[in-house]
Amino acid sequence: MNTIKLKSMLQQFFNEDIGDGDLSSETIFSATEQGAFTFYAKQDGIFCGKQIIEIGFPLLDPSLQVTVFKEDGDTLQKGDSIARIEGSLRSLLTGERVILNCIQRMSGIATQAYEAVQLTKGTKTKICDTRKTIPGLRMLDKYAVRTGGAFNHRSGLYDAIMLKDNHISFAGSIAKAVQTARAKIGHTVKIEVEIETKEQLLEAVNAGADIIMFDNRTPEEIADWLPLVPPHIATEASGGITLDNLQSYAQIGVEWISLGALTHSVTALDISALVEQKGAVTYGTR
Amino acid sequence: MNTIKLKSMLQQFFNEDIGDGDLSSETIFSATEQGAFTFYAKQDGIFCGKQIIEIGFPLLDPSLQVTVFKEDGDTLQKGDSIARIEGSLRSLLTGERVILNCIQRMSGIATQAYEAVQLTKGTKTKICDTRKTIPGLRMLDKYAVRTGGAFNHRSGLYDAIMLKDNHISFAGSIAKAVQTARAKIGHTVKIEVEIETKEQLLEAVNAGADIIMFDNRTPEEIADWLPLVPPHIATEASGGITLDNLQSYAQIGVEWISLGALTHSVTALDISALVEQKGAVTYGTR
Amino acid sequence: MNTIKLKSMLQQFFNEDIGDGDLSSETIFSATEQGAFTFYAKQDGIFCGKQIIEIGFPLLDPSLQVTVFKEDGDTLQKGDSIARIEGSLRSLLTGERVILNCIQRMSGIATQAYEAVQLTKGTKTKICDTRKTIPGLRMLDKYAVRTGGAFNHRSGLYDAIMLKDNHISFAGSIAKAVQTARAKIGHTVKIEVEIETKEQLLEAVNAGADIIMFDNRTPEEIADWLPLVPPHIATEASGGITLDNLQSYAQIGVEWISLGALTHSVTALDISALVEQKGAVTYGTR
Amino acid sequence: MNTIKLKSMLQQFFNEDIGDGDLSSETIFSATEQGAFTFYAKQDGIFCGKQIIEIGFPLLDPSLQVTVFKEDGDTLQKGDSIARIEGSLRSLLTGERVILNCIQRMSGIATQAYEAVQLTKGTKTKICDTRKTIPGLRMLDKYAVRTGGAFNHRSGLYDAIMLKDNHISFAGSIAKAVQTARAKIGHTVKIEVEIETKEQLLEAVNAGADIIMFDNRTPEEIADWLPLVPPHIATEASGGITLDNLQSYAQIGVEWISLGALTHSVTALDISALVEQKGAVTYGTR
Amino acid sequence: MNTIKLKSMLQQFFNEDIGDGDLSSETIFSATEQGAFTFYAKQDGIFCGKQIIEIGFPLLDPSLQVTVFKEDGDTLQKGDSIARIEGSLRSLLTGERVILNCIQRMSGIATQAYEAVQLTKGTKTKICDTRKTIPGLRMLDKYAVRTGGAFNHRSGLYDAIMLKDNHISFAGSIAKAVQTARAKIGHTVKIEVEIETKEQLLEAVNAGADIIMFDNRTPEEIADWLPLVPPHIATEASGGITLDNLQSYAQIGVEWISLGALTHSVTALDISALVEQKGAVTYGTR
Amino acid sequence: MNTIKLKSMLQQFFNEDIGDGDLSSETIFSATEQGAFTFYAKQDGIFCGKQIIEIGFPLLDPSLQVTVFKEDGDTLQKGDSIARIEGSLRSLLTGERVILNCIQRMSGIATQAYEAVQLTKGTKTKICDTRKTIPGLRMLDKYAVRTGGAFNHRSGLYDAIMLKDNHISFAGSIAKAVQTARAKIGHTVKIEVEIETKEQLLEAVNAGADIIMFDNRTPEEIADWLPLVPPHIATEASGGITLDNLQSYAQIGVEWISLGALTHSVTALDISALVEQKGAVTYGTR
């Protein structure tokens, strides 16, 4: 990840939550009171967000001492300690929720990506994401997908060409669309073509597509058509694939499966802050 | 919503996806080719995001013609048309995914909020959100909660005081924490206190809390303690409450139930763009 | 205050004054010449702006050594030293005016707020500010008000409801306006109603207002009407109140008096930089 | 003024006040309710801020109809109508305070500048401002000074050289400081030297200063020293000059008098919004 | 190009030049004086920058009427009219230099790219750019390269992998570097390897590089090694290639030649504004 | 230079090149691998950009150790070491190109400015730049001009008045334009007038211009007219002057010569990064 960009994102996130000040911690505590808390897992999963913690808290207060016990991609078991932050009580309490909101989402994505990857074990299929990410969070969402062991599809509209039905219809044909695009791009850009029929597949192969995407096809259709794709062209299945039916696609030998739900419908991993103090334990924040 | 802020958010979201240009639509189509597409629902739910569509597309291209058929809060049935956008093919295709990413999330939130509200029918309980929103999206997330018929808890650390276990422990007692806070704030700010025992409840009431929050308590405990709260103090249940056990809390008469999952674990509502054109139909995008 | 936001404000303020460079100090001095100066009070007042000095100078030059001798809220007497900054001559001279512009205004506000608070001694009345702050400076203006011992009214349009004549007229009645608002907001938001007649007062009380604001009323009118307000509703006097007539309002027992002039018409407190050096003394800068 | 910069300033100002939304007008009124109000003067003065009104309201809502009846620099008499804005009630009420905060300050500055200029009538002295402006508002503050008939001193550290006591002390001598600066700057930059004694004056003149500034000198001293300044060098009096003693300085023939208080201690001109409606009249807002 | 990004770039460029105002045009002309000028070519070349003119001037002043007579990529002959802008004199004169600075550079790049492309006529070689662009201008620089008929190499560090000597040395070997990279990236990203010897070439081919870059090799070396590269791997020559020796590289059949000088050492194309008026002609501006 | 502004420029430049991450160095190297490289000159010239290196790399990674061996303005000979950076391999390789793009341009400008200055040796003429800088880079471009020993003309439209043919034509006459401008500006702003005929020269002198600019005149014309300009008015030659004909202008005694090509048509100075490692040497990057 680009840490310069990450810092400005975290500053924006803190400003969103803090506004002109934290009414609670600034009124209750003085600037000099000290304390510590520990982030710990409240359920099993894959951790993601080490840099969020290490870079985020010091942005808020450079005097905080931050120790992260887990690496991105590590397995979390319920009760595991993730990180300990020590310093100004005000800063701890002011920063807690924003950091948790980030790492709970990122760990949720990594956990789901990891589960999808496990389902492809023993096959040649790799899992990748899509552009169905939360606006403003693509860098974090895609990093979390990699942390879970899956791969990134294109980053945006700017780094690969993807010709979908609508592009193709307007261009007149797959052959024409591919050739028009190819004539304008450099040698570092790949062209992916979305196909729905065997005829489209053959046209895309002949037009020189770099990647064939089987859009909303059954495993049987794809299995039937795969032999028509020469080895230097990558294959991808997409559309309507979930953790439930993922294995039926992986078993037929398609190289890539892209899953929009990895990032558009995320269940946050439950992580909380446990305050170190005279026996007091706090679970969760608003 | 603040439309000045909304515009700058949408500009940021478009820049994230487009970067220096849309390689696909800019290479395949000329600047003058025209077309239209319709956003339609692929599943039932509550629509949210009219302003996203009406403000977003013209930011990309002021010559686009945008018509939204649904109001925020309207019920969507699978197949319903939501909006039609007509104009430059390049602009349509470049803008589609960012707009969908926004309105699918917002409609997903509104739908879940609506479902929660339905479960409280016949009770005096109202549903509200928390600060567990996606960083950078709080304005949109909280708007979507309202669109679904639920309410907003505080917007951030800056607009209400919430004294949680950790605040209280460090301050020494609920009474001391409430009084310290009260002495420093104006008359427009409310103080909410999180309690876990009957003793804490009584201390918070006596200290002058404006809102009592029952944190991770069973419906039975809350039902038992509610009579101890005088009528001018609001009551709220929070922690571990889901759509599954929501009704057991609503039936006991607590005024507010806050649900973190409304915004931290969202399932996007499925919405797609259907291109108007010689019979071609496209389902979804990457 | 939110220090992340404060840093970006100070960066903006420095950029406004420095532009592409300080023609004077960059041409006269080398990058290595060192010196020191002291900020001192040229008149009596209340100091406000410690963080401005401590955070501001290091933004310009992290190698500067900054010591602030006063705490926010401390009394200043003419001639008192406030802070000493030592390091690169270029940085000292480049940063001086921006920092002074900030702390002179903030100390001016704190001083005036302090004076207003003194005038309420022995009464139950508290002084608060309004939204009549300098655009872009609200966080600093409101902090300075608190530093002077007064309180903050709402921060902006986003954290409390205030129904004024115009809102009420269009809604049809106070009762309708209050009820319409109440039905849409959560339990952390208060509703204040501005009233000008006894009838309006009674309507607002009955409609469930949380705060009653007597707008441009005489002390006699307010004294007459106060008994009609139940104890759980806060009372506020506003409009045409200055340091001259403040006591006549405070003596009648209204809880809050809001003063627009605290922030819209500020007299800067006179503070200067005294260079440490062979007997040379400099008073003021342009 | 630079209107591109003005627009982004106004957007920042609106965001400061509106945050994520205007709780009052958004809950009380629908998006379609219409109305109008008039800004009018509540005291005599000089108007400044036409562009604020004309550019500001449409940023908030392009459908508002804005008519400004006064030009910048026009005389205002108590009761004069300044502008009328018609359109969405929500937008009118949301934008009112930010616009008033700007134009009340700008008109306050213009009025005070105008008064200072009047005091120099019949003399060759011109009034100018300083860098003692409110951080973030320099463009507006300096525009208001010009509107009142006075002139701008340098805009910032970047557009002229000003050698003050401290610069000179460190450089060793006025002669050395002026020569060092002169050797590094182009022909479009002027050098001003602050002097406190006749010896310093002569040294500055001989060193080739373009402007001599008499710092904290009495009118008698300046009158005594003025004949020593050759005609191609401009003269300026500064320090401790107020509207009360301004004329004593103007009468001695110094060309420029700079007044810090024009911008650092401003009394806002009282301007209010009068809602057009069934007889209802509203005076002022919070 | 991304027009949302282009607009914010142009706003930044205008702010850089205008600061708080254009002292010349704002003092000499009133807000209502009207005029027109024409941009015309003062030397032959390829035009680039239509959107700069069409989007730029209206940002400054929406009432300006802008007509561009040339399309990007059109040939310019000395004396050709490029565009005519009519409206407020102030706006015309304020905007002229920024727009010229942009289009003179872009046309200079397009012209040089066009010349390079002409030198490859009759060969299968295509010309592309590098990342040696002016910081902040990459989108414009790369657009101008395309306008001249050449192609874009990767946009930045984020959209393709390029393994250079230093990457390879640290990784231990080309094979190891390529495999390590390949194992972590998705199917839309290509890997280019920079080679200097025949052994490196063979290693890169066997490791599965997508593109082979001959770094600082003579045409003879490349001609000798090209037959070793299988047809599905792209070939590129780079390093020390200029318009003078370009043809010797193109003639040997390498597919791509990348030229850093296209963007790092640009000669602006001479374009001026000719004011329409009583016979007065102005050549150039400062 | 303003280092606060410089930091934000460098952050913007890094973000442009890095986007969401450096695919090459992040996939090939771990976060802990260390190394070092040296920037060295590949051709003779004048170095400019010390702050770019010293401030830039730590922005990317505060743990990098940066040593710059040259001062701005130092002579570089082919092969000279300029700076050494040591630390994380990822950070070194990610930052290299952006830093080189900056310092190669700045050193190219400084070198050309230095050459122009050498051509004026023995004359009283000084060399200055124009506003024909690269949009977004003016602060750096103008700093590089000073580093080469030349001077800066005005920084932008905001810090000096320049009346060109078009201004004058519309105003009616030079006299009227100068007087109109003079009446509105303070004493720190100079007025420059562009003239093309002897009559215009005399008119400008009489109107009180501070600087006369001979626009596109031959050395003979200027030599003929110079005696008509009184000594307190500066003289400048501009238009069509290059390194080739510069001396013919310098010899006639004009005080200033402004050269647009110093910044609008720059040849980057060739500087490369040499990796320290087992004998491996890398020349250049893409």
Side-chain angles (χ1 to χ4, degrees), chain C residues 15 18-23 25-27 31 60 90-91 94, chain D residues 158, chain F residues 1-7 9-10 48-53 55 72 102-103 106 137-147 152:
Chain C
N15 281 334
I18 304 174
D20 284 358
D22 174 357
L23 291 180
S25 73
E26 291 182 34
T27 53
L60 201 60
R90 279 188 180 175
S91 303
T94 297
Chain D
Y158 52 83
Chain F
M1 284 199 288
N2 175 349
T3 54
I4 290 176
K5 184 173 175 179
L6 180 57
K7 279 178 198 167
M9 288 170 66
L10 287 167
C48 184
K50 188 183 184 190
Q51 286 176 290
I52 303 298
I53 303 173
I55 292 177
D72 288 338
C102 288
I103 67 174
M106 291 171 78
L137 291 197
R138 188 164 291 169
M139 184 172 80
L140 301 187
D141 280 9
K142 293 213 162 221
Y143 177 81
V145 165
R146 297 197 300 276
T147 297
N152 294 147

Side-chain angles (χ1 to χ4, degrees), chain F:
Chain F
M1 284 199 288
N2 175 349
T3 54
I4 290 176
K5 184 173 175 179
L6 180 57
K7 279 178 198 167
S8 61
M9 288 170 66
L10 287 167
Q11 287 170 330
Q12 176 196 348
F13 298 164
F14 279 128
N15 281 335
E16 181 188 61
D17 195 35
I18 304 174
D20 284 358
D22 175 357
L23 292 180
S24 306
S25 73
E26 291 182 33
T27 53
I28 300 292
F29 304 114
S30 74
T32 57
E33 287 174 89
Q34 302 286 308
F37 60 41
T38 298
F39 283 160
Y40 71 101
K42 294 180 71 175
Q43 65 179 116
D44 296 356
I46 301 296
F47 173 64
C48 184
K50 188 183 184 190
Q51 286 176 290
I52 303 298
I53 303 173
E54 288 181 337
I55 292 177
F57 277 109
L59 280 178
L60 200 60
D61 180 350
S63 70
L64 290 176
Q65 299 194 32
V66 178
T67 313
V68 183
F69 309 122
K70 298 287 183 182
E71 295 298 321
D72 288 338
D74 279 0
T75 300
L76 291 178
Q77 290 192 305
K78 186 177 173 175
D80 278 358
S81 289
I82 294 169
R84 180 176 183 276
I85 300 96
E86 180 174 349
S88 155
L89 272 180
R90 280 188 180 175
S91 303
L92 290 178
L93 294 167
T94 298
E96 174 190 359
R97 174 50 42 210
V98 167
I99 299 297
L100 284 175
N101 282 350
C102 288
I103 67 174
Q104 288 186 247
R105 175 176 174 86
M106 291 171 78
S107 299
I109 291 173
T111 300
Q112 194 178 355
Y114 179 83
E115 288 167 5
V117 170
Q118 298 314 303
L119 294 172
T120 64
K121 277 287 166 66
T123 75
K124 57 170 279 198
T125 301
K126 295 187 220 172
I127 300 298
C128 69
D129 55 24
T130 67
R131 283 169 49 239
K132 295 180 178 175
T133 56
I134 292 300
L137 291 197
R138 188 164 291 169
M139 184 172 80
L140 301 187
D141 280 9
K142 293 213 162 221
Y143 177 81
V145 165
R146 297 197 300 276
T147 297
F151 293 82
N152 294 147
H153 204 287
R154 63 174 170 164
S155 299
L157 294 167
Y158 52 83
D159 67 333
I161 285 186
M162 184 138 177
L163 301 175
K164 297 146 60 79
D165 264 26
N166 34 15
H167 295 94
I168 292 162
S169 306
F170 282 107
S173 75
I174 287 177
K176 191 173 163 197
V178 171
Q179 287 153 10
T180 307
R182 183 72 76 197
K184 295 186 183 167
I185 57 171
H187 48 317
T188 62
V189 178
K190 286 194 178 174
I191 298 177
E192 177 163 1
V193 179
E194 192 177 289
I195 64 99
E196 291 180 355
T197 67
K198 191 188 286 191
E199 292 65 35
Q200 289 181 324
L201 167 61
L202 292 172
E203 189 180 356
V205 166
N206 291 329
D210 297 303
I211 308 166
I212 298 291
M213 197 261 258
F214 302 96
D215 183 36
N216 277 295
R217 295 304 99 200
T218 63
E220 294 70 28
E221 287 173 308
I222 298 175
D224 191 33
W225 300 349
L226 270 181
L228 305 173
V229 184
H232 68 277
I233 298 180
T235 54
E236 176 183 345
S238 189
I241 309 181
T242 64
L243 295 195
D244 291 334
N245 62 3
L246 178 59
Q247 286 182 309
S248 61
Y249 283 89
Q251 285 158 0
I252 58 173
V254 70
E255 291 170 85
W256 297 90
I257 293 175
S258 55
L259 297 173
L262 281 186
T263 52
H264 74 54
S265 297
V266 175
T267 299
L269 194 77
D270 204 353
I271 301 174
S272 258
L274 180 69
V275 172
E276 272 180 34
Q277 187 209 8
K278 315 129 205 173
V281 173
T282 307
Y283 298 96
T285 64
R286 182 172 311 277

Side-chain angles (χ1 to χ4, degrees), chain D residues 174 178 193 195 199-210 212 225 228-230 232-233:
Chain D
I174 288 178
V178 172
V193 179
I195 63 101
E199 291 66 35
Q200 288 181 325
L201 168 61
L202 292 172
E203 188 180 356
V205 166
N206 290 330
D210 296 303
I212 298 291
W225 301 349
L228 305 174
V229 185
H232 69 276
I233 298 181

Side-chain angles (χ1 to χ4, degrees), chain B:
Chain B
M1 284 198 289
N2 175 347
T3 55
I4 291 176
K5 184 173 176 179
L6 180 57
K7 278 179 198 166
S8 61
M9 288 171 66
L10 287 167
Q11 287 171 329
Q12 175 197 348
F13 297 163
F14 279 128
N15 282 334
E16 181 187 60
D17 194 35
I18 304 174
D20 284 359
D22 175 357
L23 292 179
S24 307
S25 73
E26 291 182 34
T27 53
I28 301 292
F29 305 114
S30 75
T32 56
E33 287 173 89
Q34 303 285 307
F37 61 40
T38 298
F39 283 160
Y40 72 101
K42 295 180 70 175
Q43 65 179 117
D44 294 357
I46 302 296
F47 173 64
C48 185
K50 189 183 184 191
Q51 286 176 290
I52 303 299
I53 303 173
E54 288 181 339
I55 292 177
F57 277 109
L59 280 178
L60 200 61
D61 180 348
S63 70
L64 291 175
Q65 300 194 31
V66 179
T67 313
V68 184
F69 309 121
K70 298 287 183 182
E71 294 298 321
D72 288 338
D74 278 1
T75 300
L76 291 178
Q77 290 191 305
K78 186 176 173 178
D80 278 359
S81 289
I82 294 169
R84 181 178 183 274
I85 301 96
E86 180 173 351
S88 156
L89 271 180
R90 278 188 181 175
S91 304
L92 289 178
L93 294 167
T94 297
E96 173 189 359
R97 173 52 37 213
V98 167
I99 300 296
L100 283 176
N101 283 348
C102 288
I103 65 174
Q104 288 186 246
R105 174 176 176 85
M106 291 170 78
S107 299
I109 292 173
T111 300
Q112 194 177 356
Y114 179 82
E115 289 167 4
V117 170
Q118 296 316 302
L119 294 172
T120 65
K121 279 286 167 68
T123 75
K124 57 170 280 197
T125 301
K126 296 187 218 171
I127 300 297
C128 68
D129 55 24
T130 68
R131 284 168 49 238
K132 295 181 178 175
T133 56
I134 293 299
L137 291 198
R138 188 163 292 169
M139 185 171 78
L140 301 187
D141 279 10
K142 293 209 162 225
Y143 178 81
V145 166
R146 296 197 300 276
T147 298
F151 292 83
N152 294 146
H153 204 285
R154 62 175 171 166
S155 299
L157 294 167
Y158 51 82
D159 66 334
I161 285 186
M162 183 139 177
L163 301 175
K164 297 147 61 77
D165 264 28
N166 36 14
H167 295 93
I168 292 162
S169 306
F170 281 108
S173 75
I174 287 178
K176 190 173 165 199
V178 171
Q179 286 153 11
T180 307
R182 183 71 75 197
K184 295 186 181 167
I185 57 172
H187 48 317
T188 62
V189 178
K190 286 196 179 172
I191 297 178
E192 177 163 359
V193 179
E194 191 176 291
I195 63 99
E196 292 180 354
T197 66
K198 190 187 287 192
E199 291 66 35
Q200 288 180 325
L201 168 61
L202 292 172
E203 188 180 357
V205 166
N206 290 329
D210 297 302
I211 307 166
I212 299 291
M213 196 262 258
F214 302 96
D215 183 37
N216 276 296
R217 295 304 97 199
T218 63
E220 293 71 28
E221 287 173 308
I222 298 174
D224 191 35
W225 301 348
L226 270 179
L228 305 174
V229 185
H232 68 276
I233 299 180
T235 55
E236 175 183 344
S238 190
I241 309 180
T242 65
L243 295 195
D244 291 334
N245 61 4
L246 178 58
Q247 285 182 310
S248 61
Y249 284 88
Q251 285 158 358
I252 59 172
V254 69
E255 291 171 87
W256 297 90
I257 293 174
S258 55
L259 298 174
L262 281 186
T263 52
H264 74 55
S265 296
V266 176
T267 299
L269 194 77
D270 203 355
I271 300 173
S272 256
L274 180 70
V275 172
E276 273 180 32
Q277 188 209 4
K278 316 129 204 172
V281 174
T282 307
Y283 298 96
T285 63
R286 181 173 308 279

Side-chain angles (χ1 to χ4, degrees), chain C residues 29-272:
Chain C
F29 303 114
S30 74
T32 57
E33 287 174 88
Q34 303 286 309
F37 61 41
T38 298
F39 283 160
Y40 72 101
K42 294 180 70 175
Q43 66 179 118
D44 295 355
I46 301 295
F47 173 65
C48 184
K50 188 181 184 192
Q51 286 176 290
I52 304 298
I53 303 172
E54 288 181 338
I55 292 177
F57 277 109
L59 280 178
L60 201 60
D61 180 347
S63 71
L64 291 175
Q65 299 193 31
V66 179
T67 313
V68 184
F69 309 123
K70 299 286 182 182
E71 296 298 321
D72 288 338
D74 279 0
T75 301
L76 290 178
Q77 290 193 305
K78 185 177 173 175
D80 278 358
S81 289
I82 294 169
R84 180 177 183 276
I85 301 96
E86 180 174 350
S88 155
L89 271 180
R90 279 188 180 175
S91 303
L92 289 178
L93 294 167
T94 297
E96 174 190 358
R97 175 50 40 213
V98 168
I99 299 296
L100 284 176
N101 282 349
C102 289
I103 67 174
Q104 289 187 246
R105 175 177 176 85
M106 290 171 78
S107 299
I109 292 173
T111 301
Q112 195 177 355
Y114 179 82
E115 290 167 5
V117 170
Q118 297 314 303
L119 295 172
T120 64
K121 279 286 168 67
T123 74
K124 57 171 280 199
T125 302
K126 296 187 219 172
I127 300 298
C128 68
D129 55 23
T130 67
R131 282 168 50 238
K132 294 181 179 175
T133 56
I134 293 299
L137 292 197
R138 189 164 290 170
M139 185 172 79
L140 301 187
D141 279 8
K142 292 211 162 223
Y143 178 82
V145 166
R146 296 197 300 275
T147 298
F151 293 82
N152 295 147
H153 204 285
R154 63 174 171 165
S155 299
L157 295 167
Y158 52 83
D159 66 333
I161 284 186
M162 183 137 177
L163 300 175
K164 298 148 59 78
D165 264 26
N166 35 15
H167 296 92
I168 293 162
S169 307
F170 282 108
S173 75
I174 288 178
K176 190 173 164 197
V178 171
Q179 287 153 12
T180 308
R182 183 72 75 197
K184 295 187 181 166
I185 57 172
H187 49 316
T188 63
V189 178
K190 286 194 178 173
I191 297 178
E192 177 163 359
V193 178
E194 193 177 289
I195 63 100
E196 292 179 355
T197 67
K198 191 186 286 191
E199 291 66 35
Q200 289 181 324
L201 168 61
L202 292 172
E203 188 180 356
V205 166
N206 290 329
D210 297 303
I211 308 166
I212 298 291
M213 196 260 258
F214 302 96
D215 183 36
N216 277 295
R217 294 306 98 197
T218 64
E220 294 70 28
E221 286 173 307
I222 298 175
D224 193 33
W225 301 348
L226 269 180
L228 305 174
V229 185
H232 68 276
I233 299 181
T235 56
E236 175 183 345
S238 189
I241 310 180
T242 65
L243 295 195
D244 292 334
N245 61 4
L246 178 59
Q247 287 182 307
S248 61
Y249 284 89
Q251 287 157 359
I252 58 172
V254 70
E255 292 171 85
W256 297 89
I257 293 175
S258 54
L259 298 173
L262 281 186
T263 52
H264 74 55
S265 297
V266 175
T267 299
L269 194 78
D270 203 354
I271 301 174
S272 256

